[in-house]
Amino acid sequence: MAYSATPYLSKSLYIKGLQCHKALWLQKNRPELKDEVSVSQQSAFDSGTSVGILAQQLFPDGVEVPYHGLTPTEQLEMTRKLMADGVQTIYEAAFSFQNTFCKADILHHGPDGWEIYEVKASTGYKEVYLDDIALQYHLLTGCGLHPVKAFLVHLNGEYVRKGAIDPQQLFTMLDLTDEVRELQATVAANLTTQREMLQGEMPVIDIGPHCSSPYSCSFSGYCWSHIPDNSIFSLRDHGKPDAWQLYQEGYLKIVDVPEERLGWRQKLQQRGISEEFLQVDHDAVSRFVESLVWPLSFMDFETLYMVPVPLWDNVSPYQQIPFQFSLHIIDQDGAEPHHHEFLAEGTGDPRRHFTEALLASVPASGSVLTWNATFEKQRISELAVCFPDCAAALQQLSERVVDLMIPFRRKEIYHSAFNGSYSIKAVLPALCTELSYAELGIQNGEMASSGWLQMLYEPLAENRELIRSNLLEYCKLDTWAMVMILEEMKSWIMDLQKWTSRGDG
């Protein structure tokens, strides 16, 4: 039953209000101030939808109350009719109590009565899920349903696909009935507080850690508009002070933080805001360069990730699947680099073709340079487990991997334009000003992952070719960037040697 004088709430609005009253007020009164949905957020939304549909197979032969095509009132009426007709399982069942609306992912009538099943695309329990289920229990109880059980259904992170997806193995059910019941008084109090708040002016709430926990707030752009560039929240690396403590003390800009509050890495970052400089530990860089063994290979992988339901056999939820590599090879000092690349096409598991192409392309000896070697070595190790016949060759390859990022992470090379970062996206334009990711159609790994998946199922050949071209261009720049960065490092050594030689003369 709805009350017109009571502000309308929904399950998502309630959860938003638990995180921040101001965010809830803005959602209800100024929704136009919301941030744009990012690629990662949209992927998470889409994943959640697909997981929810798959979880329905845990209780087959149910009837769905659709979101689209029906008004909330029609959804409520359809739910009532299905229950009256004796339907035992209802997907997306709709309920409203005191003008608060929710939909239960799965409502199933077990031997003792109605049971709630809330489906999440994560691989484990989070406290916010309990609040979600507790609200549903409260509303269903208010409607006279009195659920006998309340479950969280989440993905089993240990599941490995073998053949067709087995929902019983893919999902884990967690009985939260006791915890949900204990929260009922709290839910009622929270709803009362949120309704009272919504009937007043916008709450005065400053930014804080709650802005990103348990979810990234969709009004960050509005609430954080007073935070300048190069703020205390941009401090990077080990040894940095607590940005929230600095904020509470009145600091906003990195340049205003007393030096004694900063670690030596952050002092470099602070100095770089007002002064352009390049700092090089020539001895450390010389040792690094001299340790490299010819031929030199510059290697980069792209992987599919953030896919909750495994697409192929021998894959687990959210497992990273390599589908592309770029490889620049320099056979000897002074030789021109030559390029090799691989990009999987077709909807099958790309890992076998990827592995064979990689082993056929990388020289049998010499250093293999990557940026953040841990990532590539982990993928190589996973491929070795997946393909035992290639394990020895992959292990030999892994042993030759060298991390070109190390001198930058150690701050043996630091440019003011890095702004505290040692990401290749920060290092490349600072050292090689003619190169940039900014104009590429794909500019980061997240875009590459979603782009490749889109390419596989894109019906128009023209669009597939554009995505393919963008993927190849992006991955190629990653390895070409390493070639050029190493050339810069070698030039500093040569310049120092020339200077030293002139000084001795």
Side-chain angles (χ1 to χ4, degrees), residues 115-171:
E115 302 167 350
I116 303 169
Y117 293 84
E118 173 64 18
V119 182
K120 297 297 183 184
S122 69
T123 55
Y125 169 83
K126 297 179 183 178
E127 189 172 349
V128 67
Y129 299 160
L130 182 59
D131 294 317
D132 187 320
I133 303 170
L135 176 69
Q136 295 178 55
Y137 189 98
H138 174 81
L139 299 184
L140 269 63
T141 300
C143 292
L145 204 63
H146 303 291
V148 296
K149 288 289 184 180
F151 291 87
L152 169 67
V153 180
H154 65 77
L155 293 168
N156 171 16
E158 302 300 316
Y159 173 77
V160 179
R161 179 171 180 169
K162 302 289 184 183
I165 290 290
D166 181 354
Q168 299 296 332
Q169 297 297 319
L170 175 64
F171 291 101

XYZ file of all heavy atoms in Angstrom, residues 115-171:
457
model
N 10.768 -17.912 0.059
C 12.193 -17.696 0.293
C 12.711 -16.628 -0.665
O 12.336 -16.605 -1.851
C 12.988 -18.987 0.074
C 12.530 -20.132 0.965
C 13.089 -21.480 0.548
O 13.686 -21.564 -0.549
O 12.921 -22.455 1.322
N 13.575 -15.736 -0.169
C 14.177 -14.678 -0.986
C 15.585 -15.101 -1.393
O 16.370 -15.569 -0.566
C 14.278 -13.362 -0.189
C 12.922 -12.911 0.339
C 14.900 -12.258 -1.033
C 13.019 -11.770 1.351
N 15.903 -14.888 -2.675
C 17.252 -15.155 -3.171
C 17.748 -13.906 -3.892
O 17.224 -13.546 -4.953
C 17.263 -16.360 -4.114
C 16.935 -17.654 -3.408
C 15.605 -18.036 -3.195
C 17.956 -18.475 -2.942
C 15.298 -19.220 -2.531
C 17.651 -19.675 -2.280
C 16.330 -20.028 -2.076
O 16.032 -21.187 -1.412
N 18.724 -13.227 -3.310
C 19.314 -12.032 -3.917
C 20.600 -12.438 -4.622
O 21.514 -13.008 -4.020
C 19.612 -10.975 -2.851
C 20.366 -9.762 -3.342
C 19.588 -8.934 -4.366
O 18.352 -9.090 -4.450
O 20.228 -8.131 -5.080
N 20.685 -12.137 -5.914
C 21.803 -12.582 -6.748
C 22.793 -11.443 -6.957
O 22.398 -10.324 -7.325
C 21.291 -13.093 -8.114
C 22.458 -13.597 -8.965
C 20.256 -14.190 -7.920
N 24.079 -11.712 -6.728
C 25.128 -10.733 -6.946
C 26.209 -11.335 -7.847
O 26.497 -12.528 -7.783
C 25.755 -10.294 -5.625
C 24.790 -9.585 -4.683
C 24.267 -8.282 -5.275
C 23.359 -7.552 -4.299
N 22.757 -6.330 -4.908
N 26.826 -10.473 -8.652
C 27.833 -10.922 -9.613
C 29.228 -10.998 -9.007
O 30.191 -11.240 -9.711
C 27.847 -9.997 -10.835
N 29.350 -10.793 -7.704
C 30.653 -10.874 -7.050
C 30.955 -12.329 -6.705
O 30.105 -13.214 -6.836
C 30.659 -10.034 -5.779
O 29.825 -10.614 -4.806
N 32.182 -12.575 -6.227
C 32.571 -13.927 -5.847
C 32.577 -14.116 -4.329
O 33.184 -15.057 -3.823
C 33.961 -14.273 -6.409
O 34.899 -13.278 -5.974
C 33.937 -14.317 -7.927
N 31.921 -13.224 -3.597
C 31.894 -13.371 -2.151
C 30.906 -12.427 -1.498
O 30.198 -11.655 -2.152
N 30.882 -12.487 -0.184
C 29.960 -11.701 0.629
C 30.494 -10.289 0.854
O 31.688 -10.087 1.058
C 29.758 -12.398 1.978
C 29.041 -11.579 3.018
C 27.653 -11.510 3.036
C 29.756 -10.858 3.979
C 26.976 -10.762 3.993
C 29.088 -10.104 4.941
C 27.714 -10.055 4.942
O 27.062 -9.307 5.878
N 29.600 -9.312 0.824
C 29.906 -7.942 1.219
C 28.799 -7.469 2.150
O 27.628 -7.824 1.974
C 29.996 -7.018 0.000
C 31.113 -7.368 -0.971
C 31.119 -6.427 -2.160
C 32.198 -6.817 -3.167
N 32.183 -5.941 -4.371
N 29.168 -6.655 3.120
C 28.202 -6.235 4.136
C 27.007 -5.512 3.532
O 25.874 -5.644 4.016
C 28.898 -5.334 5.161
C 28.040 -5.011 6.364
C 28.802 -4.275 7.446
O 30.038 -4.199 7.346
O 28.151 -3.771 8.382
N 27.243 -4.763 2.453
C 26.137 -4.018 1.850
C 25.067 -4.950 1.294
O 23.889 -4.583 1.202
C 26.672 -3.076 0.746
C 27.216 -3.852 -0.445
C 25.581 -2.113 0.290
N 25.447 -6.181 0.941
C 24.457 -7.133 0.446
C 23.437 -7.481 1.531
O 22.259 -7.717 1.244
C 25.127 -8.410 -0.048
C 26.101 -8.221 -1.185
C 27.074 -9.184 -1.457
C 26.060 -7.099 -2.008
C 27.962 -9.031 -2.508
C 26.945 -6.938 -3.064
C 27.901 -7.916 -3.308
O 28.798 -7.755 -4.340
N 23.898 -7.518 2.763
C 22.986 -7.812 3.873
C 21.933 -6.716 4.005
O 20.749 -6.999 4.226
C 23.784 -7.952 5.166
C 23.005 -8.319 6.433
C 22.281 -9.641 6.248
C 23.952 -8.385 7.629
N 22.352 -5.457 3.841
C 21.390 -4.347 3.887
C 20.364 -4.473 2.771
O 19.172 -4.188 2.957
C 22.131 -3.015 3.759
C 23.024 -2.727 4.943
O 22.592 -2.955 6.085
O 24.170 -2.288 4.731
N 20.826 -4.883 1.602
C 19.963 -5.065 0.438
C 18.881 -6.104 0.736
O 17.666 -5.866 0.536
C 20.846 -5.512 -0.735
C 20.110 -5.576 -2.055
O 18.952 -6.013 -2.067
O 20.715 -5.211 -3.077
N 19.290 -7.256 1.240
C 18.347 -8.339 1.499
C 17.434 -7.994 2.668
O 16.239 -8.324 2.671
C 19.112 -9.651 1.759
C 20.020 -9.984 0.564
C 18.143 -10.800 2.002
C 20.976 -11.126 0.826
N 18.006 -7.308 3.662
C 17.197 -6.937 4.830
C 16.051 -6.011 4.445
O 14.937 -6.101 4.999
C 18.082 -6.278 5.881
N 16.278 -5.107 3.507
C 15.195 -4.234 3.052
C 14.110 -5.051 2.361
O 12.907 -4.834 2.597
C 15.728 -3.162 2.109
C 14.628 -2.268 1.522
C 14.027 -1.369 2.599
C 15.137 -1.437 0.357
N 14.498 -5.973 1.506
C 13.510 -6.810 0.833
C 12.663 -7.576 1.849
O 11.432 -7.653 1.733
C 14.207 -7.799 -0.105
C 14.938 -7.148 -1.267
C 15.645 -8.174 -2.131
O 15.025 -9.118 -2.614
N 16.947 -8.009 -2.333
N 13.324 -8.134 2.832
C 12.615 -8.882 3.866
C 11.608 -7.978 4.583
O 10.469 -8.382 4.846
C 13.635 -9.451 4.856
C 13.076 -10.425 5.861
C 13.193 -11.794 5.665
C 12.434 -9.971 7.020
C 12.684 -12.698 6.593
C 11.922 -10.859 7.951
C 12.047 -12.219 7.732
O 11.545 -13.112 8.659
N 12.040 -6.749 4.870
C 11.168 -5.789 5.549
C 9.928 -5.485 4.708
O 8.793 -5.465 5.224
C 11.947 -4.503 5.815
C 11.127 -3.386 6.381
N 10.805 -3.294 7.715
C 10.545 -2.309 5.773
C 10.070 -2.221 7.914
N 9.897 -1.604 6.753
N 10.124 -5.241 3.418
C 9.003 -4.873 2.561
C 8.058 -6.048 2.344
O 6.825 -5.881 2.363
C 9.519 -4.351 1.216
C 10.403 -3.099 1.272
C 10.766 -2.638 -0.122
C 9.711 -1.969 2.036
N 8.625 -7.235 2.128
C 7.771 -8.405 1.923
C 6.981 -8.729 3.189
O 5.801 -9.094 3.123
C 8.605 -9.611 1.494
C 8.787 -9.785 -0.025
C 9.555 -8.609 -0.624
C 9.490 -11.095 -0.344
N 7.622 -8.559 4.336
C 6.918 -8.773 5.604
C 5.802 -7.747 5.765
O 4.685 -8.071 6.206
C 7.900 -8.688 6.776
O 8.906 -9.692 6.626
C 7.191 -8.891 8.104
N 6.080 -6.495 5.402
C 5.058 -5.455 5.476
C 3.874 -5.739 4.592
O 2.745 -5.330 4.893
N 4.120 -6.455 3.490
C 3.027 -6.821 2.583
C 2.310 -8.098 3.042
O 1.419 -8.596 2.343
C 3.573 -7.032 1.171
S 4.166 -5.523 0.381
N 2.727 -8.645 4.198
C 2.062 -9.821 4.738
C 2.620 -11.142 4.267
O 2.015 -12.196 4.482
N 3.790 -11.124 3.617
C 4.326 -12.356 3.042
C 5.107 -13.191 4.063
O 5.096 -14.416 4.003
C 5.240 -12.011 1.860
C 5.413 -13.117 0.819
C 4.084 -13.424 0.159
C 6.429 -12.686 -0.238
N 5.847 -12.565 4.969
C 6.618 -13.239 6.024
C 7.540 -14.333 5.463
O 7.291 -15.536 5.676
C 5.674 -13.838 7.077
C 4.772 -12.824 7.702
N 5.237 -11.838 8.555
C 3.424 -12.624 7.580
C 4.218 -11.084 8.944
N 3.111 -11.531 8.371
N 8.609 -13.942 4.756
C 9.543 -14.939 4.194
C 10.130 -15.818 5.297
O 10.420 -15.355 6.404
C 10.624 -14.078 3.546
C 9.991 -12.741 3.331
C 9.027 -12.566 4.461
N 10.339 -17.084 4.970
C 10.911 -18.015 5.952
C 12.431 -18.119 5.811
O 13.113 -18.553 6.745
C 10.280 -19.419 5.809
C 8.798 -19.357 6.134
C 10.513 -19.995 4.412
N 12.960 -17.733 4.656
C 14.400 -17.795 4.426
C 14.838 -16.614 3.556
O 14.065 -16.104 2.740
C 14.797 -19.093 3.709
C 14.699 -20.341 4.572
C 15.794 -20.369 5.644
C 15.764 -21.647 6.459
N 16.825 -21.674 7.487
N 16.096 -16.205 3.749
C 16.673 -15.139 2.927
C 18.106 -15.528 2.595
O 18.917 -15.758 3.502
C 16.641 -13.801 3.665
N 18.407 -15.615 1.303
C 19.707 -16.098 0.851
C 20.417 -15.049 -0.014
O 19.774 -14.313 -0.777
C 19.560 -17.361 -0.003
C 19.105 -18.575 0.748
C 17.753 -18.825 0.927
C 20.019 -19.475 1.272
C 17.323 -19.948 1.611
C 19.603 -20.608 1.957
C 18.251 -20.848 2.130
N 21.736 -15.030 0.095
C 22.587 -14.355 -0.877
C 23.102 -15.413 -1.841
O 23.592 -16.467 -1.414
C 23.768 -13.671 -0.188
C 24.874 -13.142 -1.121
C 24.351 -11.988 -1.971
C 26.100 -12.721 -0.324
N 22.991 -15.140 -3.129
C 23.517 -16.026 -4.163
C 24.645 -15.282 -4.864
O 24.419 -14.235 -5.470
C 22.416 -16.419 -5.184
C 22.984 -17.348 -6.241
C 21.231 -17.063 -4.481
N 25.857 -15.803 -4.741
C 26.988 -15.153 -5.409
C 27.791 -16.180 -6.197
O 27.625 -17.398 -6.029
C 27.876 -14.402 -4.406
C 28.573 -15.282 -3.408
N 29.686 -16.035 -3.719
C 28.319 -15.516 -2.088
C 30.098 -16.688 -2.644
N 29.275 -16.408 -1.647
N 28.671 -15.700 -7.056
C 29.479 -16.594 -7.883
C 30.491 -17.352 -7.035
O 31.040 -16.822 -6.060
C 30.219 -15.789 -8.958
C 29.343 -15.148 -10.034
C 30.154 -14.144 -10.839
C 28.750 -16.207 -10.953
N 30.748 -18.581 -7.423
C 31.775 -19.403 -6.806
C 33.089 -19.147 -7.525
O 33.270 -19.559 -8.668
C 31.368 -20.879 -6.900
C 32.484 -21.825 -6.481
O 33.456 -21.412 -5.852
N 32.336 -23.089 -6.835
N 33.997 -18.446 -6.869
C 35.263 -18.087 -7.500
C 36.132 -19.273 -7.854
O 37.038 -19.160 -8.678
N 35.860 -20.436 -7.248
C 36.649 -21.643 -7.518
C 36.078 -22.464 -8.676
O 36.691 -23.456 -9.091
C 36.706 -22.510 -6.259
C 37.285 -21.811 -5.035
C 38.701 -21.343 -5.274
O 39.492 -22.124 -5.843
O 39.010 -20.191 -4.910
N 34.936 -22.059 -9.174
C 34.311 -22.815 -10.257
C 35.167 -22.758 -11.520
O 35.676 -21.700 -11.898
C 32.922 -22.240 -10.554
C 32.241 -22.822 -11.775
C 31.648 -24.071 -11.731
C 32.192 -22.104 -12.966
C 31.006 -24.608 -12.842
C 31.550 -22.623 -14.087
C 30.960 -23.880 -14.020
O 30.342 -24.397 -15.130
N 35.324 -23.902 -12.163
C 36.018 -23.993 -13.447
C 35.052 -24.637 -14.434
O 34.571 -25.753 -14.206
C 37.312 -24.828 -13.343
C 37.986 -24.922 -14.705
C 38.265 -24.221 -12.317
N 34.804 -23.951 -15.497
C 33.833 -24.466 -16.467
C 34.348 -25.727 -17.154
O 35.498 -25.789 -17.585
C 33.520 -23.393 -17.505
C 32.530 -23.852 -18.569
C 32.063 -22.727 -19.448
N 31.122 -23.202 -20.458
C 30.382 -22.416 -21.239
N 30.482 -21.100 -21.128
N 29.553 -22.942 -22.117
N 33.471 -26.714 -17.257
C 33.721 -27.939 -18.001
C 32.454 -28.249 -18.792
O 31.477 -28.761 -18.250
C 34.048 -29.103 -17.058
C 35.248 -28.886 -16.150
C 36.567 -28.921 -16.908
C 37.746 -28.800 -15.943
N 39.043 -28.769 -16.670
N 32.456 -27.900 -20.067
C 31.249 -28.101 -20.860
C 30.229 -27.010 -20.589
O 30.568 -25.855 -20.325
N 28.959 -27.378 -20.623
C 27.894 -26.400 -20.397
C 27.974 -25.867 -18.971
O 28.392 -26.566 -18.044
C 26.534 -27.044 -20.651
N 27.588 -24.598 -18.809
C 27.593 -23.983 -17.476
C 26.673 -24.771 -16.543
O 25.523 -25.057 -16.882
C 27.124 -22.519 -17.551
C 28.178 -21.651 -18.256
C 26.854 -21.971 -16.154
C 29.445 -21.437 -17.482
N 27.201 -25.108 -15.374
C 26.418 -25.791 -14.350
C 26.055 -24.782 -13.269
O 26.880 -24.454 -12.428
C 27.237 -26.934 -13.749
C 26.479 -27.711 -12.680
O 25.352 -27.296 -12.331
O 27.007 -28.726 -12.190
N 24.826 -24.261 -13.271
C 24.463 -23.226 -12.297
C 24.638 -23.680 -10.854
O 24.975 -22.879 -9.979
C 22.984 -22.937 -12.620
C 22.820 -23.360 -14.043
C 23.721 -24.537 -14.213
N 24.419 -24.954 -10.582
C 24.542 -25.439 -9.213
C 25.984 -25.341 -8.709
O 26.222 -25.164 -7.509
C 24.060 -26.900 -9.128
C 22.613 -27.108 -9.522
C 21.634 -26.402 -8.597
O 21.931 -26.190 -7.421
N 20.474 -26.026 -9.123
N 26.939 -25.445 -9.619
C 28.352 -25.328 -9.252
C 28.856 -23.894 -9.393
O 29.747 -23.468 -8.658
C 29.197 -26.259 -10.134
C 28.878 -27.727 -9.968
C 29.155 -28.226 -8.563
O 30.170 -27.866 -7.962
N 28.255 -29.046 -8.029
N 28.290 -23.155 -10.330
C 28.734 -21.781 -10.568
C 28.400 -20.872 -9.395
O 29.146 -19.947 -9.071
C 28.091 -21.243 -11.852
C 28.360 -19.772 -12.193
C 29.841 -19.531 -12.455
C 27.533 -19.346 -13.407
N 27.279 -21.133 -8.741
C 26.799 -20.239 -7.682
C 26.976 -20.853 -6.292
O 26.926 -22.072 -6.126
C 25.327 -19.893 -7.901
C 25.074 -19.031 -9.095
C 24.600 -19.583 -10.274
C 25.324 -17.667 -9.051
C 24.360 -18.795 -11.395
C 25.094 -16.868 -10.156
C 24.612 -17.427 -11.327
